[in-house]
Amino acid sequence: MKLYDGGRAPNPRRVRVFLAEKGIEVPLVPVDMGALGHRSEEVASRNPLKRLPVLELDDGTIITESVAICRYFEELHPEPPLFGKGVLGKTLVEMWQRRMELNFMFCVAQAFRHIHPAMKDWEVPQIPEWGEANKPRTLEFLALFDRELASREFAAGDEYSIADITGLIGVDFMKPARIAMPPEFTNVIRWHAALAARPSAEA
């Protein structure tokens, strides 16, 4: 088994944080995304979408998409549960994971990909107007999330989950996307600080 990893890019990091929380070690194959290594034949032959991370199992099976890779390890190593416990707990984690991914992390990524000069050869065509349009969408979601966090510690309830991992990565990605965290989002700031202090955040 080996994991094709993309360094500090958000989705590869998301899997590494998940694995760190689980205490699982998987051999990594570093891929230099800055040198467009994710477009190499080594990666493209395993994932035609040319995206990372990519998990290759011992029998040659390929799993892509960061949440799918995390789900694979969750099933193999159910403790600690990062996809929720029980019917309601798992449902709430799924709900907040989707919200974090589609309404937050996606918007931050679009702002970064369509505005940052370093991405002009990656995102073709790069549409700055679309990048700018996603900045207020990001803040609208954070305003909602801040209200939600007034009554609980983590994204989906009282337990840390993959929804928190996605949120952590999204907040950290705001800086290169040039989106400032409003100081009035005190609950989000408290939540993020707690997550960033966990050892797994350094993965």
Side-chain angles (χ1 to χ4, degrees):
M1 179 188 297
K2 53 189 173 182
L3 181 66
Y4 289 81
D5 178 64
R8 300 302 292 176
N11 283 311
R13 184 182 171 216
R14 183 157 49 156
V15 171
R16 292 199 312 276
V17 171
F18 186 92
L19 292 174
E21 284 286 336
K22 289 280 189 180
I24 300 170
E25 293 187 6
V26 178
L28 299 181
V29 179
V31 178
D32 186 351
M33 296 186 71
L36 302 181
H38 56 294
R39 298 183 183 178
S40 68
E41 178 59 25
E42 184 179 25
V43 174
S45 63
R46 291 167 172 83
N47 182 6
L49 291 176
K50 301 178 183 178
R51 295 172 186 167
L52 296 170
V54 173
L55 179 66
E56 182 174 352
L57 305 184
D58 291 338
D59 67 358
T61 299
I62 298 295
I63 303 174
T64 66
E65 305 302 330
S66 55
V67 175
I69 293 171
C70 292
R71 172 69 74 179
Y72 175 79
F73 286 109
E74 177 84 356
E75 296 300 319
L76 289 179
H77 305 275
E79 296 294 333
L82 297 180
F83 278 81
K85 294 185 290 188
V87 174
L88 182 57
K90 291 179 179 179
T91 301
L92 291 175
V93 168
E94 179 73 17
M95 178 179 79
W96 277 100
Q97 160 58 26
R98 292 281 290 175
R99 286 179 168 183
M100 285 291 189
E101 191 152 38
L102 298 178
N103 298 291
F104 178 48
M105 191 171 169
F106 174 81
C107 294
V108 177
Q110 293 305 296
F112 175 74
R113 294 181 72 92
H114 286 275
I115 296 173
H116 202 288
M119 297 300 293
K120 65 182 178 64
D121 293 330
W122 289 37
E123 197 66 44
V124 181
Q126 191 177 52
I127 306 172
E129 294 83 2
W130 173 240
E132 292 293 342
N134 276 280
K135 288 185 176 183
R137 294 172 187 235
T138 298
L139 299 181
E140 286 171 13
F141 177 80
L142 285 178
L144 179 155
F145 189 44
D146 190 73
R147 294 192 295 270
E148 293 281 339
L149 285 175
S151 61
R152 61 179 183 271
E153 185 176 0
F154 297 109
D158 296 326
E159 302 289 339
Y160 181 92
S161 74
I162 190 171
D164 295 291
I165 295 174
T166 298
L168 166 72
I169 303 303
V171 171
D172 290 346
F173 200 28
M174 287 172 63
K175 184 175 180 179
R178 301 174 183 176
I179 304 173
M181 174 68 73
E184 62 268 25
F185 293 168
T186 55
N187 294 317
V188 172
I189 292 170
R190 177 262 306 164
W191 162 84
H192 177 261
L195 268 54
R198 297 172 77 99
S200 63
E202 298 299 319

